[in-house]
Amino acid sequence: MSMTALLAAPDRVVPRTVTLRVFRWSPGERERSQTYEVAAGADSTVLDALVEIQRRQDPTLAFRYACRVGMCGSCAMVVNGRERWACRTRLVTLGDAVDVRPLYHFPLLRDLVVDMAPFVARMQAVGAALVPAPGAPGYAQVPGDGAERRGIDPAIECIGCGMCVSACTMVAHNPRFPGPAALNRAFTLQLDPRDAGRDDRWRALTSDDALWRCHGQGNCTAVCPMGLAPTTSIARLRRMATRRLFGLA
Amino acid sequence: MATTQYETHEHDVIIIGAGGAGLRAAVEAAAQGVSVGLICKSLLGKAHTVMAEGGIAAAMGNVYPEDNWRVHFRDTMRGGKMLNNWRMAQIHAQESPERVLELERWGALFDRTKDGRILQRDFGGHRYARLAHVGDRTGLEMIRTLQYHAIHQTIDVYMECTITRLLKDGERVCGAFGYWRNTGKFVVFKAKAIVLATGGMGKCWKFCTNSWEGTGDGVTLALDAGAELIDMECYQFHPTGMVWPVSVRGILVTEGVRGDGGTLKNSKGERFMFKYIPEFFKAETADTEAEADRWYEDKKNNRRTPDLLPRDEVARAINSEVKAGRGSPHGGVFLDIASRRPADYIRKRLPSMCHQFKELADVDITKEPMEVGPTAHYMNGGVRVDADTAGTAVPGLFAAGEVAGGLHGANRLGGNSLSDLVVFGRRAGLYAALYVKNLGGTVTVDAGQLEACAREALAPLERPGGENPYAIQTELQETMQALVGIIRTESELREAVVRIEQYKQRLQKVGVTGGREYNPGWHTALDLYALLTVSEAVARAALDRKESRGGHTRDDHPKPDPKLGAVNVVVRRRQGEMATALEAIPAMPADLKGLFEEKK
């Protein structure tokens, strides 16, 4: 099957040629950018183009993906200057020249692949697991439209893609800052009535390097592919922390 | 000692795979106080479990108090066309409610009934609404809960590490050999027990629902280590995958769409499923549209819609409609929920589906029907295990989740996979830890085995002018799609075996360039061995089952054969060659048998 046939839906517009400028780097080499041309149909995504390059033009091009469909958060990268998920970004939205580079603020491993271990470490640092209260019942009766649930719901869909960390200027400035994803996770737990680990988490959150460091620029919220608002979660955590400081919570 | 030549980690138990089963096994083993290493090919949290949508089956009886483990057991066995390991089906039905509640104790929050209890949804083959869920993103909630819980236990996590071989000390396992994906350097894990939780093999077909990880690694590791496989021929094709755009063809459309009121229609607008109700399910299936529609509201006085027959039945029906020229423009059929439910309801119940179709196909499923067709989805068979302990035929080797066979028989019911992961993941972790505690002495890793593993893995890099591994992968996927798909015949299966043999020869000559650091071409060259091994196992087992049952349909033997319904096709490696045998399924005890005679 031809490349064109692979990428284009059968009854859509004629494929056009898209030029991808891809960041390349391997340990011991100098970084460079390499240009590839790919035929793109109306529905082709950035991931389709990268897979096409890897399979037929350059099997050494390294990038991550797993689910192909926006569920796992593996294929985050910076496309035309902005963090995006490659699998859900259609080429037609990007113009004829597409610039692809790896996420910022993570150690680079090769080409578009970065080391995500710091992402897990940041989660651990704030205490990402719910701590069940001793003697708690098998499960809590939580009404679906209860206040806690309404508060948590918009924040629990994080797929751990790392785009918010890449977009956050404070992460670059202070390596001890937990970053938007971890703070957002902490927010869902600090509001969860079933959790008994709040005091420990507050200690981490109100340290010099956490909540108070956020400048509220909202870059994390702007790039989140799931539409979450870590900026809002952080702001609410700050209000809760302030009330707690004054003995109001 | 040769192990010093390679980076070496030592644990009591290593777990290969960090999806639902692997994470649950790791948590359980750690709780037993043994040292645990958790190894995964992807980043933590990206395993295929994250893509599970509809829910986790557990007879909690929150929506229908009549539900209990006996009904769930019976549904699972009937859905599996009685080929299941009945003891696994029993344990699964009995323990899944507790595993769901445990997930809540660790932070998961399932959707709720009006009075605040866990809500349960309808799915194919389940008599009562039984699937606990979080919208249509249940897998995400489950993996996130287990992952956050696990990283706060004493578990060493080794991310982006691929295991190529298990190591043996005499009869028993003693560790595993693999490579770091990012550096390409080799790594050795010394361990007294190993839990395989590596998932399935969807990537053998051209169109599948699986993430990139489904390359059959665990089945291959187990087979080569001396374990047995069962029911490999009963691979499940999910009836509803996306059929276009081409680049996402095969991606799952959750059964929850039908559970929540969606119906299948052909190009003439007919609800064709009424024509495909098999004798086996006639008594409990609605035979008019009116009754089917009433069933959604009143399940006591009406029979269930045929849109929710077990997956094998629905997949075959869609296949027949398309073949008869009544398919949709892109070669599927229509799945319509837009004309049957309000837009707000659809957005609330199926947010991922709305998003997925809007962004990828520009289809608004609250206004238009979807186009769907069968797609390779789930390995019903797998490594043969002991029902209670999840132990394989190899001492020290355990398997849980999709990689293990038996629970689902010839066809898995939707929702029974997530529950399988946590029920048997826990058991595998527990019994692996107990095995270690009872094991006297130490295990020794043999230097010669390590050298052989390293040589084998480096070979493609030493043939830079060799064939591109992607070419073989693509051809294999075409072959499996065309010859070992939903409908099979003897001549095509024989042709498939011949072609796979040729691909195995070509694999000896593949070459890659570009060094060892995160080199996808090299990774693919190494994955091919597993892809070819499991593909061959499916084709050979399919030749031996000369009947149609569950996920396995033979055009030349279209009916079930009661004699074959009493045996498993078992695959083993004998002196390097794959061998198959028909072996009797142990008889079911009288108390369980009795459950099939009662009306309820």
Side-chain angles (χ1 to χ4, degrees):
Chain A
M1 190 184 285
S2 79
M3 181 166 81
T4 307
L6 262 178
L7 283 177
D11 55 355
R12 295 302 196 94
V13 292
V14 184
R16 68 202 170 93
T17 301
V18 174
T19 305
L20 271 83
R21 222 169 57 139
V22 182
F23 176 96
R24 302 296 308 269
W25 178 78
S26 296
E29 290 178 16
R30 304 180 82 153
E31 65 176 64
R32 62 198 163 94
S33 74
Q34 192 163 346
T35 304
Y36 304 92
E37 292 199 339
V38 177
D43 302 306
S44 303
T45 62
V46 173
L47 180 61
D48 293 335
L50 291 173
V51 168
E52 179 61 30
I53 293 166
Q54 192 184 65
R55 291 200 160 202
R56 285 162 215 270
Q57 300 184 33
D58 186 350
T60 67
L61 175 64
F63 55 92
R64 281 196 190 98
Y65 72 103
C67 78
R68 303 171 283 159
V69 71
M71 287 179 161
C72 72
S74 300
C75 66
M77 48 190 75
V78 177
V79 181
N80 285 358
R82 183 193 160 109
E83 286 77 7
R84 304 176 208 251
W85 42 6
C87 67
R88 287 274 186 112
T89 304
R90 288 203 270 169
L91 288 167
V92 284
T93 63
L94 298 171
D96 289 335
V98 177
D99 186 75
V100 185
R101 55 151 295 132
L103 291 182
Y104 296 100
H105 309 152
F106 290 97
L108 191 57
L109 293 176
R110 175 165 172 169
D111 298 341
L112 302 172
V113 180
V114 296
D115 183 0
M116 293 297 284
F119 188 85
V120 180
R122 286 193 164 97
M123 285 282 176
Q124 277 170 318
V126 299
L130 182 129
V131 182
Y139 72 101
Q141 301 235 343
V142 182
D145 52 358
E148 298 96 345
R149 186 69 201 253
R150 270 183 285 129
I152 298 169
D153 257 353
I156 62 169
E157 300 277 344
C158 174
I159 56 172
C161 64
M163 287 190 226
C164 57
V165 173
S166 172
C168 174
T169 50
M170 193 43 61
V171 171
H173 181 69
N174 181 346
R176 291 178 303 278
F177 181 60
L183 292 173
N184 181 70
R185 172 63 186 165
F187 168 68
T188 66
L189 292 171
Q190 296 306 75
L191 218 61
D192 195 319
R194 304 168 300 168
D195 180 78
R198 273 175 257 187
D199 288 346
D200 284 343
R201 228 175 274 116
W202 278 129
R203 266 191 290 284
L205 291 172
T206 54
S207 72
D208 285 349
D209 297 308
L211 279 186
W212 318 117
R213 286 284 166 176
C214 171
H215 284 196
Q217 288 176 322
N219 293 335
C220 52
T221 302
V223 301
C224 177
M226 299 300 288
L228 310 188
T231 319
T232 311
S233 299
I234 293 168
R236 292 193 59 188
L237 273 177
R238 279 177 166 178
R239 279 205 296 279
M240 289 158 70
T242 310
R243 289 174 62 82
R244 193 170 166 275
L245 209 61
F246 289 101
L248 297 170
Chain B
M1 181 147 148
T3 45
T4 51
Q5 192 187 330
Y6 303 106
E7 176 186 344
T8 302
H9 300 275
E10 195 166 344
H11 290 283
D12 291 323
V13 179
I14 56 169
I15 288 146
I16 306 173
L23 282 165
R24 187 63 190 81
V27 167
E28 194 63 26
Q32 296 300 318
V34 300
S35 130
V36 180
L38 177 62
I39 304 161
C40 50
K41 215 157 77 154
S42 271
L43 296 169
L44 193 62
K46 312 299 184 197
H48 182 74
T49 304
V50 78
M51 295 177 73
E53 295 168 357
I56 172 166
M60 295 188 289
N62 285 356
V63 176
Y64 285 86
E66 298 89 334
D67 200 12
N68 60 55
W69 77 262
R70 292 177 187 83
V71 190
H72 191 182
F73 165 77
R74 177 180 168 277
D75 290 347
T76 300
M77 293 294 300
R78 283 169 57 89
K81 304 297 186 294
M82 307 302 280
L83 212 58
N84 322 50
N85 176 322
W86 50 263
R87 177 62 185 153
M88 286 177 91
Q90 179 187 20
I91 291 171
H92 167 255
Q94 288 172 331
E95 295 185 358
S96 56
E98 172 51 29
R99 297 281 81 77
V100 170
L101 297 180
E102 175 180 80
L103 286 171
E104 286 241 331
R105 280 199 295 279
W106 294 343
L109 196 51
F110 291 97
D111 286 356
R112 286 297 197 264
T113 59
K114 283 207 177 66
D115 59 354
R117 291 173 306 139
I118 294 171
L119 180 62
Q120 301 186 267
R121 108 178 336 150
D122 279 307
F123 243 57
H126 292 283
R127 184 178 174 94
Y128 299 112
R130 188 176 282 149
L131 271 67
H133 59 275
V134 184
D136 56 2
R137 292 173 188 156
T138 315
L140 172 62
E141 180 74 356
M142 184 160 143
I143 203 147
R144 195 179 38 212
T145 301
L146 286 169
Q147 169 195 350
Y148 290 149
H149 188 74
I151 63 171
H152 289 275
Q153 315 299 315
T154 44
I155 297 166
D156 288 319
V157 181
Y158 305 94
M159 293 200 290
E160 297 199 300
C161 178
T162 302
I163 298 299
T164 59
R165 288 279 175 188
L166 300 184
L167 305 169
K168 299 276 294 279
D169 178 0
E171 282 303 298
R172 62 171 63 130
V173 292
C174 63
F177 182 91
Y179 63 92
W180 295 107
R181 300 180 72 79
N182 59 17
T183 62
K185 294 211 170 84
F186 294 131
V187 55
V188 176
F189 296 92
K190 242 180 110 176
K192 293 173 186 157
I194 298 175
V195 177
L196 291 173
T198 49
M201 55 172 287
K203 285 289 163 194
C204 295
W205 285 271
K206 191 173 170 189
F207 303 122
C208 77
T209 63
N210 290 196
S211 75
W212 74 273
E213 291 186 290
T215 49
D217 304 14
V219 171
T220 303
L221 292 172
L223 186 71
D224 289 348
E228 304 155 330
L229 315 180
I230 55 167
D231 302 337
M232 291 299 289
E233 70 282 11
C234 298
Y235 194 86
Q236 177 169 82
F237 289 80
H238 194 289
T240 59
M242 290 179 80
V243 292
W244 73 282
V246 178
S247 60
V248 291
R249 182 160 181 163
I251 291 286
L252 183 65
V253 177
T254 175
E255 194 166 321
V257 175
R258 283 170 286 140
D260 288 345
T263 56
L264 293 163
K265 291 176 181 171
N266 61 22
S267 59
K268 295 169 146 182
E270 292 164 341
R271 286 168 65 175
F272 58 85
M273 280 309 300
F274 290 93
K275 294 186 296 187
Y276 296 94
I277 304 168
E279 203 54 47
F280 193 66
F281 292 106
K282 271 220 160 97
E284 62 212 61
T285 308
D287 51 13
T288 65
E289 293 187 15
E291 182 180 1
D293 284 348
R294 285 197 305 271
W295 170 84
Y296 284 103
E297 309 308 324
D298 175 8
K299 298 202 167 56
K300 290 212 180 87
N301 300 307
N302 297 287
R303 293 171 299 172
R304 69 172 36 238
T305 171
D307 287 297
L308 284 173
L309 279 165
R311 289 175 173 174
D312 52 334
E313 313 288 353
V314 182
R316 271 194 298 273
I318 293 175
N319 200 60
S320 304
E321 286 297 305
V322 175
K323 259 196 177 154
R326 294 187 292 270
S328 67
H330 297 89
V333 294
F334 295 105
L335 174 58
D336 168 34
I337 190 166
S339 74
R340 297 173 52 82
R341 294 286 182 265
D344 279 351
Y345 175 89
I346 299 169
R347 275 192 287 269
K348 165 84 183 146
R349 302 280 294 183
L350 304 162
S352 294
M353 289 302 106
C354 290
H355 212 215
Q356 180 174 318
F357 273 91
K358 188 70 204 154
E359 283 194 16
L360 295 172
D362 206 18
V363 166
D364 181 351
I365 68 165
T366 68
K367 294 199 178 80
E368 310 160 68
M370 297 159 251
E371 280 186 63
V372 296
T375 168
H377 184 51
Y378 187 86
M379 186 170 73
N380 289 318
V383 182
R384 190 189 232 179
V385 290
D386 174 67
D388 288 81
T389 64
T392 69
V394 182
L397 182 62
F398 299 77
E402 187 172 351
V403 70
L407 169 61
H408 308 293
N411 173 57
R412 174 173 72 79
L413 297 185
N416 273 0
S417 176
L418 290 186
S419 42
D420 174 8
L421 302 183
V422 279
V423 167
F424 291 102
R426 175 187 155 275
R427 279 179 171 264
L430 174 64
Y431 286 97
L434 294 178
Y435 168 87
V436 166
K437 287 179 182 175
N438 290 328
L439 185 71
T442 53
V443 288
T444 312
V445 171
D446 167 52
Q449 283 184 43
L450 298 182
E451 288 319 304
C453 293
R455 267 199 310 277
E456 170 187 68
L458 288 174
L461 289 163
E462 285 154 7
R463 293 185 292 253
E467 187 176 5
N468 181 347
Y470 288 108
I472 300 176
Q473 186 198 44
T474 306
E475 282 184 49
L476 172 70
Q477 288 168 339
E478 302 271 3
T479 292
M480 291 297 283
Q481 194 73 30
L483 305 180
V484 196
I486 304 186
I487 313 288
R488 302 155 179 182
T489 66
E490 170 129 6
S491 57
E492 292 185 347
L493 290 169
R494 290 206 183 282
E495 170 66 19
V497 171
V498 169
R499 288 198 206 168
I500 291 167
E501 202 50 52
Q502 291 162 357
Y503 302 145
K504 279 158 65 181
Q505 302 303 322
R506 283 164 59 186
L507 175 60
Q508 301 307 314
K509 300 188 185 101
V510 294
V512 292
T513 54
R516 287 167 72 170
E517 290 91 2
Y518 213 105
N519 185 339
W522 184 39
H523 301 167
T524 301
L526 297 180
D527 286 346
L528 268 175
Y529 172 68
L531 279 170
L532 291 170
T533 303
V534 289
S535 296
E536 181 181 348
V538 173
R540 288 190 184 278
L543 272 167
D544 274 19
R545 189 170 283 286
K546 297 183 196 313
E547 64 158 353
S548 293
R549 183 176 298 272
H552 172 70
T553 305
R554 287 278 299 257
D555 216 15
D556 45 351
H557 299 278
K559 292 255 170 353
D561 175 347
K563 281 201 285 298
L564 289 169
V567 297
N568 295 122
V569 180
V570 182
V571 179
R572 295 184 181 87
R573 191 78 83 198
R574 288 269 181 265
Q575 279 91 41
E577 295 298 309
M578 221 178 258
T580 56
L582 300 180
E583 293 182 15
I585 299 171
M588 197 186 294
D591 57 328
L592 293 179
K593 232 180 193 160
L595 298 175
F596 295 88
E597 282 139 30
E598 293 167 28
K599 185 76 191 95
K600 265 193 175 170

